[in-house]
Amino acid sequence: MLEVNNLECIRGDRSLFSELGFSLDAGELLHLQGHNGSGKTTLLRTLCGLIAPSEGSVNWNGKNIRRQREEFASEMLYLGHLNGLKDDLTAVENLRILCQLDGLDVGDEVLWPVLEEMGLYGHEDLSVRVLSQGQKRRVSLSRLLLSKSPLWLLDEPFTALDKAAVEFLQTVIAGHIKQGGLVILTTHQDVALTSGEVKQLRLGWKKDGDV
């Protein structure tokens, strides 16, 4: 379980959010919403331990994530809105490095089929530099097909993807949730995954009459 208690994050002299609290159990998805600059990326980076909150705490299975850094890192996958790829390396080389960073020891006999499944057949050994933005995004997202982490934190995962890739990624995320995984994601796209029985959290929202 992920628990957020009385969380506040300040950027410069501005509080992006304060007194923020929520929880997420196994098999649940939280759709994080808000206008640009409302703090969505900051919140995700705080949840994964890259940013220390000004106030409050983030707990994983009842223990503050800052007191179990290595254990939490092994049970969490953060995929930012930047792909984190090296242009001079091929798609398979980049995926190999990403897997190593995630603590996964997998060989090329596994990586190549994963890239093919993500729609990159014929592009596995090309330099990332020559790939389109959508193809680069697919390389980065291929981590999800190999991840053993129960908690996924996804910042705009559908960016630059075509319709087929968006639908496939939704299937991957839904499958992770069905198997007991936890997902928090942001997206500006209207996707079926974020409708229906999912948790919603909107940053920067004010009630009528608030100043």
Side-chain angles (χ1 to χ4, degrees):
M1 171 187 283
L2 182 73
E3 296 175 292
V4 174
N5 301 304
N6 197 36
L7 205 66
E8 179 179 26
C9 283
I10 297 175
R11 184 171 61 192
D13 58 355
R14 173 178 170 237
S15 176
L16 292 175
F17 48 81
S18 61
E19 299 181 352
L20 183 65
F22 64 87
S23 65
L24 196 67
D25 290 318
E28 290 186 331
L29 179 146
L30 174 67
H31 179 204
L32 178 59
Q33 304 173 67
H35 57 76
N36 290 338
S38 62
K40 300 187 300 297
T41 294
T42 297
L43 177 55
L44 288 179
R45 290 173 64 83
T46 301
L47 296 178
C48 70
L50 292 175
I51 296 177
S54 303
E55 297 288 344
S57 63
V58 178
N59 298 329
W60 175 247
N61 293 329
K63 187 176 179 180
N64 194 303
I65 63 171
R66 308 195 75 80
R67 298 176 182 172
Q68 52 168 335
R69 294 177 185 271
E70 292 187 8
E71 179 182 351
F72 180 64
S74 69
E75 298 189 345
M76 174 275 302
L77 184 148
Y78 170 62
L79 198 152
H81 61 276
L82 298 178
N83 292 319
L85 305 177
K86 297 182 181 297
D87 283 346
D88 293 333
L89 300 181
T90 66
V92 71
E93 289 170 339
N94 268 285
L95 182 55
R96 186 186 303 123
I97 291 173
L98 291 172
C99 286
Q100 291 171 349
L101 293 175
D102 291 337
L104 298 175
D105 183 15
V106 292
D108 286 4
E109 71 280 1
V110 174
L111 301 180
W112 282 70
V114 165
L115 290 170
E116 179 179 350
E117 190 174 0
M118 280 299 301
L120 289 162
Y121 177 75
H123 299 81
E124 300 94 336
D125 58 350
L126 294 181
S127 169
V128 163
R129 188 183 304 279
V130 304
L131 300 182
S132 69
Q133 288 302 313
Q135 289 169 331
K136 291 178 182 178
R137 194 57 172 165
R138 289 176 188 237
V139 174
S140 182
L141 289 166
S142 296
R143 298 166 62 192
L144 300 179
L145 299 181
L146 295 166
S147 175
K148 300 183 183 303
S149 302
L151 175 62
W152 290 359
L153 305 173
L154 311 178
D155 196 355
E156 296 293 338
F158 302 104
T159 297
L161 298 182
D162 58 25
K163 182 178 179 181
V166 168
E167 292 179 353
F168 177 71
L169 180 56
Q170 289 191 84
T171 300
V172 172
I173 296 173
H176 180 64
I177 295 169
K178 187 176 181 179
Q179 293 175 1
L182 301 81
V183 177
I184 300 178
L185 66 81
T186 70
T187 179
H188 284 99
Q189 295 179 239
D190 184 16
V191 293
L193 187 69
T194 58
S195 62
E197 296 297 324
V198 301
K199 290 188 171 182
Q200 306 280 350
L201 175 63
R202 184 172 184 85
L203 299 180
W205 179 79
K206 293 183 177 180
K207 296 180 181 179
D208 293 341
D210 284 355
V211 177

